[in-house]
Amino acid sequence: MNRYLPVHLVFWLGTAVLLSACFGGGGEEQPVATGQTVLTCNEVCAQQGQCGTAVDGRPLILGRNDRPETRDHNLVFNADLPITVLETREEMVQSADGQFAMQPFSFIILNDNGQQGWVANWCVVSAP
């Protein structure tokens, strides 16, 4: 078995997500239960290149396992699922329009399967 196969799979999955983020892929927003925090591929998140749509139509959020980052993602999270925010941190980032600004990131855990990682707060929303 090729030892580089997992690296290639992650690369191609990430490329597919990024391409679908660039070409839209929106879709209807799913309802969120009251009082929950969720990951969402909203307009701002998509404009910053932090989410996209899987081949099967599922919205996906890009993340990183070891640090807050807007590039070089190594995780993909399903969107529209309840999460718990474990930590929040601000980092200097360059946005898609070229501006530098402090951006909050959250270290989250998906409540349904325990997947953890850092995501940009453009993609984190709390329902009232």
Side-chain angles (χ1 to χ4, degrees):
M1 183 169 141
N2 184 344
R3 66 184 178 125
Y4 295 107
L5 184 60
V7 174
H8 288 103
L9 289 175
V10 169
F11 171 79
W12 288 112
L13 177 62
T15 300
V17 169
L18 288 174
L19 286 175
S20 56
C22 292
F23 293 112
E28 294 182 30
E29 290 194 21
Q30 298 180 7
V32 175
T34 302
Q36 289 184 338
T37 302
V38 298
L39 294 176
T40 185
C41 187
N42 57 32
E43 185 176 336
V44 175
C45 182
Q47 286 174 345
Q48 298 302 325
Q50 301 303 298
C51 69
T53 305
V55 175
D56 63 6
R58 289 176 298 127
L60 300 172
I61 307 299
L62 299 172
R64 189 147 177 102
N65 66 337
D66 58 345
R67 67 180 185 269
E69 183 68 65
T70 59
R71 293 180 275 207
D72 302 322
H73 300 100
N74 64 5
L75 292 175
V76 178
F77 295 96
N78 286 318
D80 303 320
L81 296 175
I83 63 167
T84 299
V85 175
L86 302 174
E87 181 182 345
T88 302
R89 184 186 306 170
E90 285 200 8
E91 298 286 333
M92 180 68 71
V93 299
Q94 184 175 11
S95 65
D97 64 5
Q99 300 297 315
F100 286 93
M102 294 301 288
Q103 169 61 37
F105 289 83
S106 291
F107 188 74
I108 60 101
I109 182 169
L110 287 180
N111 294 348
D112 71 334
N113 67 9
Q115 182 184 12
Q116 298 181 20
W118 288 97
V119 295
N121 279 14
W122 291 305
C123 312
V124 176
V125 296
S126 294

